[in-house]
Amino acid sequence: EQPVMRLPDFTREKAVRTPINLTEEQNEAYEKLTDLASGEKAAASLLYGVTGSGKTSVYMSVIDGVVDSGKSVIVMVPEIGLTPQTLSLFCKRYGSSVAVFHSALSVRERLEEWKRVKKGEAKIVIGTRSAVFAPLENLGLIIVDEEQEHTYKSEQTPRYSAIDVAKYRVAFSKGLLILASATPSVESYASALSGKYELCTLKN
């Protein structure tokens, strides 16, 4: 008669939003991305940064602004192995407003996370390619980390590209898509050079 939610352990983390100190180069990328995120139209950007250049610091700063404006966020990682470290980072900062979606969850865990998102209890979804279908309202930002990885394409029926679905969702909600990588795909880099995507580069 009454649903009882078994909340995941990470939701017990106490959220502490410590200031993120950005370098001049990171700040330049952050300001460019924030302008795109707060615009009236849907936008896409390639965040092209060498390994260790602090791409995560840049997009977490952008997430702060998007969440503060009342919008929701999806962060996709290419494989389940990367989910725990990303989850730990985000839970320390945002606590129980984070939900996780990936194939290693049990059916019950998946359903409960889906319900938390649907009810608006979680505003930030982290996961592998299936996270792109999270039932978030007022979606403001989708981040695809290591966007060049082939795992964003599903080879099982129904076949789909999570990046193509992400493009559709940000177009529908007039949000921002950030594709982040140290070795971007040829398609994304060509789109950035042609002006289809905004190009933000971190060289140091």
Side-chain angles (χ1 to χ4, degrees):
E1 290 176 11
Q2 256 187 327
V4 177
M5 300 286 276
R6 290 189 310 183
L7 294 177
D9 292 340
F10 63 77
T11 59
R12 299 189 188 98
E13 286 268 10
K14 191 179 176 187
V16 181
R17 204 191 280 193
T18 52
I20 298 173
N21 298 314
L22 301 176
T23 64
E24 196 176 319
E25 186 182 51
Q26 289 170 333
N27 197 56
E28 201 176 304
Y30 160 71
E31 286 178 356
K32 206 184 276 189
L33 293 169
T34 301
D35 287 346
L36 291 172
S38 56
E40 295 294 309
K41 294 179 181 175
S45 176
L46 174 64
L47 181 58
Y48 177 18
V50 296
T51 305
S53 59
K55 294 184 290 294
T56 308
S57 298
V58 172
Y59 64 64
M60 282 188 95
S61 301
V62 178
I63 289 170
D64 285 351
V66 171
V67 170
D68 289 346
S69 70
K71 294 183 178 179
S72 52
V73 178
I74 294 173
V75 180
M76 288 194 284
V77 292
E79 55 185 274
I80 297 167
L82 294 172
T83 312
Q85 66 193 54
T86 309
L87 202 53
S88 167
L89 196 65
F90 275 79
C91 288
K92 282 174 185 166
R93 193 165 186 81
Y94 306 107
S96 60
S97 64
V98 175
V100 61
F101 282 58
H102 58 70
S103 58
L105 298 177
S106 69
V107 174
R108 175 168 179 160
E109 285 170 329
R110 257 186 257 192
L111 176 62
E112 291 186 346
E113 287 294 81
W114 191 90
K115 282 180 178 174
R116 281 205 310 130
V117 173
K118 187 71 177 168
K119 286 179 182 175
E121 292 169 9
K123 295 286 185 189
I124 300 169
V125 169
I126 293 166
T128 48
R129 63 178 177 241
S130 61
V132 79
F133 296 110
L136 288 163
E137 297 292 327
N138 201 14
L139 184 62
L141 175 65
I142 298 181
I143 295 166
V144 183
D145 202 21
E146 304 296 341
E147 64 86 27
Q148 80 285 355
E149 292 291 341
H150 71 280
T151 47
Y152 288 119
K153 291 181 180 176
S154 171
E155 292 172 9
Q156 297 170 327
T157 306
R159 291 176 169 83
Y160 67 92
S161 160
I163 294 176
D164 286 346
V165 178
K167 286 176 189 173
Y168 176 84
R169 290 201 70 179
V170 293
F172 185 79
S173 62
K174 296 184 173 63
L176 170 64
L177 171 65
I178 298 177
L179 302 173
S181 179
T183 51
S185 64
V186 174
E187 297 93 330
S188 297
Y189 195 53
S191 294
L193 292 180
S194 68
K196 189 177 173 186
Y197 297 166
E198 184 72 46
L199 179 61
C200 297
T201 311
L202 301 174
K203 295 177 180 176
N204 302 297

